[in-house]
Amino acid sequence: MNHLPPEESSIRVLIADDDSGFLDSLRELIDRQPELHVIAAAANGLEAIELAEKLEPDAVVLDLHMPLLDGVSAAARLRRDHPSVCLIALTGDEEPALHRAVREAGADEVLLKTQLVEGLIERLSTLRPAN
């Protein structure tokens, strides 16, 4: 039987998007899942990297179009520094070249924001908590 507090036995997720309204909705959506817990939210790619260094999340969900450091560059850095993190890129941009670029940078999955609910929860739920 697991006696850890819920946030310690759940999958720890860092989210990053420059749209604060979308970020709030994303946090609410993820936190509604019993096995998932948003540990921090970043407004840009640079902040996402800094938070990942401090918090060592199990998963990072990041937008591809952000200020200071775009999602592709942030994904490459996160993959290099945190090889085992589940890295999910989220975008409203349907451009195949962009999707290819972020996959090559190390993203495990690229989801359109329109596919968000079903795809994101399904992918994150396949992770196992780091105990």
Side-chain angles (χ1 to χ4, degrees):
M1 181 166 236
N2 191 346
H3 296 290
L4 293 172
E7 57 278 355
E8 289 182 33
S9 63
S10 62
I11 295 159
R12 304 167 70 245
V13 183
L14 168 65
I15 56 176
D17 197 302
D18 59 326
D19 178 336
S20 62
F22 183 78
L23 207 54
D24 290 342
S25 297
L26 185 58
R27 177 192 294 268
E28 187 179 314
L29 173 69
I30 292 171
D31 278 342
R32 258 193 251 135
Q33 310 309 310
E35 70 279 10
L36 305 174
H37 175 68
V38 174
I39 56 168
N44 60 65
L46 194 56
E47 188 180 6
I49 289 168
E50 291 168 354
L51 286 168
E53 280 304 308
K54 273 194 277 192
L55 303 173
E56 298 188 5
D58 301 310
V60 179
V61 179
L62 73 161
D63 185 27
L64 293 184
H65 295 293
M66 292 185 291
L68 298 184
L69 190 64
D70 65 272
V72 174
S73 301
R77 175 76 184 273
L78 287 163
R79 178 55 66 217
R80 186 193 78 199
D81 295 348
H82 308 278
S84 64
V85 75
C86 176
L87 194 50
I88 299 176
L90 207 49
T91 185
D93 192 332
E94 295 187 31
E95 177 55 47
L98 179 64
H99 294 203
R100 220 175 7 265
V102 76
R103 282 185 194 282
E104 288 169 5
D108 295 303
E109 194 72 57
V110 180
L111 298 174
L112 289 171
K113 288 183 177 179
T114 54
Q115 300 170 316
L116 176 66
V117 177
E118 59 276 5
L120 180 63
I121 297 306
E122 180 181 307
R123 181 67 175 96
L124 288 175
S125 296
T126 64
L127 294 176
R128 301 222 186 277
N131 290 345

